[in-house]
Amino acid sequence: MNKMNVAILGCGTVGGGVATIIREMNKELAERSDSEIVLKTIVEINPEVASERFKLPLDLFYGGGKKLSVVEASEAIDEIISSEEIDLVIETIGGTSDFIHNICLNVVTSGKHLVTANKALLAERGTDIFETAEKKGVKIGFEAAVCGAIPIVKTIKENFTGDKILSISGIMNGTSNYILSRMQNEGLGFKNALQLAQESGYAEADPALDINGGDAGHKIILLIKLAYGIDVSMNDLSITGIENIKKEDIEFANEIDAKIKLICYAKKINGDIFATVKPMMVKNSNFLSGVNGATNAVRVNTKYSGKHILVGKGAGSSETAMSIVSDIVFIARYGKKMRNTAARQTVNFVADASKFVFPYLITFHTADLPGTTGFITTAIGSRNINIDTVSHNRHNGEKATFSVATMPCQLEQIETAIGKIKTERPGILLSEPKVMPILY
Ligand code: HSE
């Protein structure tokens, strides 16, 4: 039987899960991949802790289980990369540092396959790693990098190969969805809901990338690469997080039969890519509005086969590890025949957010004066924007708050209308209006 010798770099939540599954499913994996998957070694600075946590024998770790200094671990990694014996390296250290980038680049340069859950690295600094892998004829498995256990990478890359992807929309960050769900269902404020997410172990100690849309941005960048074969950078995307979502936004969502969700969105229209990560008002008729808690969901709309929705766990040890093991099996079985990403498509450009056509919900905080609502709605109409509904005004004699739901229009029409309001009636707006797309 063929053999696939693998090494794991880093034995934290994901790396430990991978080692466990490889050991527990060794027979099935051999049958499914036509190769014996041999876990040769795990490089981990603190093997005793990892061994205890995942019930792994110490002799599985590089150095036989002794603690490694950073320098020793780095030398061990170099040795693995230059070893003729290792076929595939699993990187589960994480981060986008030069150190990690060099490791991944050196793995593929040395002619070894790479499997990783590191979305940030592949999305922000992955171009040369993918290019080198192509030149060397080795494969990069990154199923685990996008929505943990959900098999969205292979679905887009392999299963829809006889179709055209029209659009992708999804909830791809569990932490922010958990926070928004608790705000929506229990009326909690953002800070309380974030604290609960941290206490429940969903949010990282530093939850910045989860709540500012960065983590979701990395995932949609990878899906765009798979669906359209192009490299989009974080700067090409218009990204807004959920930090500024307030109780009143949730109330306005309820009024239009919607839930606020952090949505990753990519659509190809006439050769242009429209891509964004934003809190959106998702109508209750859209499946995504009912996806609650830390669950992820991706909706793919295709030309020939219609709409598909995949729902599942976007994080977790065994969940994410499963996707890594599935990549190992695919690489062992199909090797050079696999594609790393989609064939490159012709794309005119990545559209500026101001060109995005959606129905929008605009929330205004204004001075509480007669004629204000009329003036604002007239300014919106004057930019050729058709208004769907105007909410009732909440007012207290000093401040009035209301929202306007529009029919589909370009964001720049709304921006021009807001500019006109500011110029013609300075001081009427007490804060910058909040604009959120409405997703049907
Ligand atoms: N922290 C992410 C989430 C999982 O909350 O969905 C890893 O990207």
Side-chain angles (χ1 to χ4, degrees):
M1 180 177 265
N2 299 323
K3 260 193 188 168
M4 168 74 81
N5 290 332
V6 308
I8 301 178
L9 311 183
C11 197
T13 303
V14 180
V18 174
T20 305
I21 299 180
I22 291 179
R23 284 163 53 80
E24 287 181 4
M25 287 191 55
N26 210 260
K27 273 205 184 119
E28 291 99 318
L29 298 181
E31 246 172 54
R32 293 171 193 178
S33 65
D34 233 352
S35 292
E36 191 189 347
I37 310 293
V38 185
L39 176 52
K40 280 289 186 187
T41 190
I42 306 172
V43 179
E44 168 57 42
I45 286 176
N46 208 334
E48 272 189 21
V49 174
S51 149
E52 175 74 22
R53 181 174 171 200
F54 297 102
K55 308 282 170 273
L56 298 168
L58 277 173
D59 62 6
L60 208 48
F61 290 85
Y62 186 94
K66 76 176 177 72
K67 268 193 178 179
L68 302 179
S69 67
V70 173
V71 174
E72 285 169 331
S74 171
E75 284 168 359
I77 291 170
D78 287 345
E79 191 185 312
I80 286 167
I81 291 172
S82 42
S83 160
E84 297 276 316
E85 211 192 0
I86 302 290
D87 304 301
L88 182 150
V89 174
I90 300 139
E91 182 274 310
T92 48
I93 303 171
T96 56
S97 62
D98 287 347
F99 175 67
I100 294 296
H101 177 260
N102 285 341
I103 289 174
C104 291
L105 188 57
N106 291 342
V107 166
V108 293
T109 305
S110 73
K112 295 175 176 52
H113 305 292
L114 171 71
V115 180
T116 181
N118 194 336
K119 67 220 70 158
L121 180 77
L122 294 182
E124 289 187 21
R125 305 186 65 185
T127 305
D128 54 353
I129 302 174
F130 279 104
E131 281 172 2
T132 308
E134 277 313 299
K135 277 190 209 132
K136 292 283 178 179
V138 292
K139 302 300 151 193
I140 300 179
F142 58 100
E143 183 67 74
V146 188
C147 300
I150 300 179
I152 188 65
V153 168
K154 288 186 199 71
T155 298
I156 292 189
K157 187 157 60 103
E158 318 288 353
N159 300 95
F160 289 138
T161 195
D163 210 331
K164 287 183 190 230
I165 311 272
L166 303 176
S167 68
I168 300 168
S169 51
I171 295 168
M172 304 191 196
N173 182 270
T175 304
S176 55
N177 202 46
Y178 177 90
I179 292 171
L180 290 173
S181 300
R182 296 209 67 159
M183 290 175 74
Q184 191 97 44
N185 300 335
E186 293 155 62
L188 300 182
F190 175 77
K191 276 194 184 146
N192 275 347
L194 169 60
Q195 197 183 340
L196 287 173
Q198 281 173 311
E199 283 167 13
S200 316
Y202 290 118
E204 311 285 331
D206 175 8
L209 280 178
D210 286 322
I211 62 175
N212 70 13
D215 175 77
H218 293 143
K219 292 168 185 167
I220 195 72
I221 282 177
L222 293 176
L223 293 189
I224 290 170
K225 196 173 177 66
L226 290 164
Y228 305 118
I230 60 158
D231 281 338
V232 169
S233 82
M234 290 292 270
N235 291 334
D236 294 324
L237 291 180
S238 161
I239 299 182
T240 310
I242 62 163
E243 313 87 317
N244 293 321
I245 301 298
K246 307 243 177 327
K247 283 186 188 174
E248 71 179 28
D249 299 312
I250 307 267
E251 282 170 27
F252 284 126
N254 288 337
E255 277 184 26
I256 61 162
D257 285 326
K259 304 270 184 314
I260 300 178
K261 299 286 175 192
L262 183 68
I263 296 292
C264 294
Y265 186 88
K267 187 170 187 172
K268 193 173 178 199
I269 306 174
N270 299 330
D272 297 338
I273 300 287
F274 289 77
T276 188
V277 176
K278 273 191 197 316
M280 295 194 188
M281 298 271 172
V282 182
K283 285 286 196 173
N284 290 336
S285 51
N286 182 323
F287 179 89
L288 295 178
S289 74
V291 175
N292 287 312
T295 306
N296 284 194
V298 190
R299 192 168 183 256
V300 185
N301 191 10
T302 73
K303 179 171 178 184
Y304 298 109
S305 62
K307 292 190 179 75
H308 309 262
I309 299 170
L310 283 87
V311 187
K313 293 257 164 54
S317 175
S318 61
E319 294 86 348
T320 310
M322 181 284 292
S323 286
I324 288 192
V325 175
S326 136
D327 277 342
I328 299 171
V329 170
F330 264 72
I331 292 171
R333 185 161 191 96
Y334 302 112
K336 291 193 187 327
K337 296 257 183 210
M338 275 177 57
R339 294 189 91 104
N340 278 330
T341 63
R344 230 178 155 73
Q345 293 183 28
T346 318
V347 166
N348 303 333
F349 70 104
V350 179
D352 187 272
S354 63
K355 304 283 180 211
F356 284 18
V357 173
F358 276 106
Y360 287 94
L361 192 93
I362 320 166
T363 305
F364 294 97
H365 293 122
T366 69
D368 192 5
L369 295 170
T372 305
T373 312
F375 177 78
I376 287 176
T377 47
T378 303
I380 292 172
S382 76
R383 302 331 297 166
N384 210 21
I385 301 167
N386 213 352
I387 290 176
D388 184 17
T389 53
V390 179
S391 79
H392 78 268
N393 248 303
R394 294 97 161 117
H395 31 181
N396 62 12
E398 286 175 11
K399 181 175 147 183
T401 305
F402 70 102
S403 69
V404 174
T406 73
M407 301 297 281
C409 64
Q410 285 191 337
L411 182 59
E412 70 181 1
Q413 288 170 269
I414 294 177
E415 287 166 345
T416 324
I418 292 171
K420 182 178 159 79
I421 295 163
K422 287 180 183 165
T423 316
E424 294 186 7
R425 294 282 290 274
I428 195 176
L429 297 181
L430 302 183
S431 62
E432 193 56 32
K434 195 180 279 178
V435 185
M436 265 191 253
I438 300 171
L439 193 66
Y440 276 81

